[in-house]
Amino acid sequence: MRSIIQAIAAAGAVLFCASAAAPPRIDYTLTPVMEGSALRAVQIDLRFRGEADGESDLRLPDSWGGQNELWRGIEGLEIVSGAAALRNGEAANVRIITHRPNARIHVRYRVIQDWDGLPRAEIGNVYRPTIQPTYFHLIGNAFMATPGAATLDTRVRFTVRDLPRGWSYASDLEHPDLRLSEVWSSIVVAGDFRILRDPRSQVRVAIRGEWSFTDADFLNRAANILSSGRSFWGDGATPYLVTVLHLEGPEGWLSVGGTGLDDAFAFFATPNAGADPIARTLAHESFHTWISSQVGGLPNDDQALQYWLSEGFTDFYTARLLVRGGQWTVEQYVADLNEALRAYAQSPARTASNAQILENFWSDRDTQRLPYQRGRFLAMIWDARLRSAGHSMDDIVHDMRRRARNGDQYAVETFVAAAPSFGLDLGSDIETYVDQGAAILLPEDVVAPCGRVITRDVPNFHRGFDIQATQANNNIITGVDRTLPAYAAGLRDGMILLRRDGGEIGNSEVEIAYVVRDGDTERTFRYMPRGQGAYTMQQLELAQGLEGERLAQCLAVIGGG
């Protein structure tokens, strides 16, 4: 969600003192702090020119990417030279420095890992500083202290020194003319990473640990994905860094996530993650380089109201460009779309209004997923209308970029302004499906000739027992419903859940299988995971005999071009 991250950084800038003169340049020097051969902390030396009135604010990291109190990862803040005193400000992340007017100030602090152990899937993506004995992983927003008078355009010099012999280093800050906005939205890693480079695309990968795919395969996928996006927009190759950090997790736990930064992407995944889900995540996040930042961006306030475009359009183009770049077959496109349609159909937040999304986006997972689904499906519908008039969504988003370069409208405004130029009548679509939250149904022929969208009623999914209560009860099965197929198959309260050995969570049309311990016996129960009632679900049914010219036509529809 790179667009969100950028806007958070931009919003943070309004905290700074608008009346003070910004320092002409900020200098950061990073030095590992070692105990023997083990890394214990990262030292940051910060130099900047103080304000003319002899008092300067220093802002420590605070809230970013769903993380709070990031200042807890900063310790030992001290004045090295140029200032007389350092005291706490009114906010927990603010320090006040007293000094001679316009003095050149040098402060020093250490970045530590303020949580225990290794990065783990249970705690989610590791946006807080990670300091391990053999490496560090730092995101700018989470470890950079910043003078309060600085602006997004303040020049920055960033230097790394005294890395241990044999350590690798990678960052997207390895270029001249850095600005503070770039430093905030950056990644810095060093240690036992393997650094790979693709000269043609200028993509680098910094990866550590063992995976189910080779380093070369991942680099090739990353280079292909970035090249596809640039080709779509007509942009040339520029340096881009992808970091891949290993997450520990319980046996069988699968986790893939990450965050897009200014010209980098930070992945966090369990080692059993395959290249395909990682590639999809990278395709989505890297496309945020353009949407929505280059087609109008997001406002500083109430951004979630526009996530249906920034996230939904990006998800639409994630699928489109994976097909166009040859990374997805038609079958993979269909599978991904059908997964999204199934999740949308079963979502308890499906008809939430846009105001409810704004209220609950960061606290409710179903609400959080809704703008992705809603914007993607609307883009598919609008793309089908545009194709009938000889255009496509591609024409509109390129026009949005042109409009954004010539004005100050946000992305939703540039979209609404661009649509009529290509014969797209939005009518009441945005008010009905976005603002009010009416359920979206795709037209049967939305991606013809690839296949047709089937709409039908499907039994509600239910495991037949209470999974949350079972997990909270040390995997002792709890809450078996006597009226459902699980009970008829023989599953009972008190049995010990060992693992799931079949089925798809959320899919009531595929037999599910659970392996349990019943006394001293290990048993497997298979049944249809159906609950009471039904819901309306859509699925794309692939056309038979899709080959030759028909296949080419299908690829042109879902891949664009």
Side-chain angles (χ1 to χ4, degrees), residues 133-176:
T134 62
Y135 73 92
F136 64 77
H137 180 283
L138 303 173
I139 292 175
N141 282 288
F143 84 97
M144 293 289 197
T146 309
T151 69
L152 291 171
D153 289 327
T154 297
R155 295 177 61 214
V156 173
R157 182 168 62 184
F158 184 82
T159 307
V160 176
R161 69 180 188 186
D162 297 339
L163 290 176
R165 184 181 300 274
W167 274 34
S168 298
Y169 167 76
S171 175
D172 58 334
L173 298 177
E174 299 175 79
H175 60 86

Side-chain angles (χ1 to χ4, degrees), residues 60-61 123 241 247 355 364 386-387 403 467 507 513:
L60 307 185
I123 64 175
L241 173 65
L247 297 181
D364 180 74
L386 286 160
R387 290 198 310 274
R403 290 172 184 270
I467 186 63
N507 190 347

Side-chain angles (χ1 to χ4, degrees), residues 33-347:
V33 178
M34 310 295 293
E35 286 186 10
S37 61
L39 178 69
R40 290 292 176 255
V42 170
Q43 176 179 298
I44 303 295
D45 286 89
L46 168 61
R47 297 173 175 87
F48 63 97
R49 187 167 300 283
E51 297 177 33
D53 64 359
E55 190 169 272
S56 297
D57 291 358
L58 188 65
R59 306 296 173 115
L60 307 185
D62 189 13
S63 297
W64 176 83
Q67 301 292 312
N68 297 308
E69 298 184 345
L70 288 164
W71 45 265
R72 294 188 181 276
I74 305 297
E75 70 171 20
L77 179 64
E78 62 177 347
I79 296 170
V80 178
S81 64
L86 176 69
R87 70 178 189 273
N88 292 337
E90 293 184 2
N93 71 310
V94 177
R95 303 291 182 269
I96 308 298
I97 301 173
T98 304
H99 53 82
R100 299 186 310 277
N102 300 312
R104 184 66 178 170
I105 298 169
H106 177 186
V107 299
R108 177 178 295 155
Y109 61 91
R110 291 184 302 276
V111 182
I112 62 169
Q113 181 174 303
D114 67 337
W115 46 277
D116 294 330
L118 296 169
R120 297 191 62 83
E122 299 97 312
I123 64 175
N125 297 337
V126 192
Y127 296 156
R128 306 183 84 89
T130 301
I131 310 290
Q132 293 290 316
T134 62
Y135 73 92
F136 64 77
H137 180 283
L138 303 173
I139 292 175
N141 282 288
F143 84 97
M144 293 289 197
T146 309
T151 69
L152 291 171
D153 289 327
T154 297
R155 295 177 61 214
V156 173
R157 182 168 62 184
F158 184 82
T159 307
V160 176
R161 69 180 188 186
D162 297 339
L163 290 176
R165 184 181 300 274
W167 274 34
S168 298
Y169 167 76
S171 175
D172 58 334
L173 298 177
E174 299 175 79
H175 60 86
D177 196 30
L178 286 173
R179 304 293 166 158
L180 183 57
S181 60
E182 297 172 297
V183 175
W184 274 344
S185 185
S186 68
I187 180 78
V188 183
V189 301
D192 56 354
F193 286 87
R194 304 183 295 277
I195 311 297
L196 300 88
R197 295 172 174 82
D198 181 76
R200 178 172 296 182
S201 66
Q202 298 190 45
V203 171
R204 288 181 299 156
V205 169
I207 189 169
R208 63 180 308 277
E210 299 301 320
W211 301 88
S212 62
F213 46 83
T214 67
D215 292 354
D217 178 52
F218 183 78
L219 175 64
N220 182 62
R221 284 174 176 255
N224 181 291
I225 287 167
L226 268 296
S227 296
S228 292
R230 293 163 176 168
S231 175
F232 175 79
W233 292 100
D235 292 349
T238 55
Y240 195 93
L241 173 65
V242 181
T243 65
V244 189
L245 192 63
H246 201 287
L247 297 181
E248 302 297 325
E251 184 178 357
W253 190 297
L254 176 64
S255 178
V256 176
T259 182
L261 300 161
D262 188 61
D263 45 16
F265 186 85
F267 264 116
F268 309 92
T270 48
N272 58 341
D276 287 343
I278 291 181
R280 192 199 189 286
T281 303
L282 177 58
H284 176 98
E285 296 296 346
S286 64
F287 203 74
H288 277 310
T289 299
W290 299 278
I291 292 182
S292 63
S293 61
Q294 294 191 26
V295 296
L298 296 171
N300 288 338
D301 299 322
D302 298 340
Q303 292 179 350
L305 294 175
Q306 297 196 12
Y307 288 170
W308 65 270
L309 188 150
S310 63
E311 298 300 339
F313 280 22
T314 298
D315 232 22
F316 170 80
Y317 275 102
T318 295
R320 170 160 285 190
L321 293 188
L322 283 170
V323 171
R324 183 180 295 186
Q327 297 234 18
W328 271 7
T329 63
V330 174
E331 289 77 11
Q332 286 173 297
Y333 174 92
V334 172
D336 183 78
L337 175 62
N338 283 343
E339 182 180 346
L341 286 168
R342 183 181 297 279
Y344 176 70
Q346 296 182 86
S347 173

Side-chain angles (χ1 to χ4, degrees), residues 443-456:
E444 181 181 26
D445 60 350
V446 70
V447 291
C450 298
R452 61 194 186 105
V453 176
I454 307 298
T455 304
R456 56 195 175 85

Side-chain angles (χ1 to χ4, degrees), residues 338-353 356-357 360-361 364-374 377 437-440 458-461 505-507 534-539:
N338 283 343
E339 182 180 346
L341 286 168
R342 183 181 297 279
Y344 176 70
Q346 296 182 86
S347 173
R350 183 185 187 193
T351 56
S353 68
Q356 289 172 314
I357 289 176
N360 300 320
F361 184 85
D364 180 74
R365 178 165 175 77
D366 292 308
T367 300
Q368 195 172 70
R369 297 173 70 185
L370 188 57
Y372 294 73
Q373 299 159 343
R374 187 172 279 172
F377 301 152
I440 299 170
V458 177
N460 286 322
F461 174 86
I505 300 303
N507 190 347
Y535 64 95
T536 300
M537 185 180 72
Q538 292 192 303
Q539 295 279 270

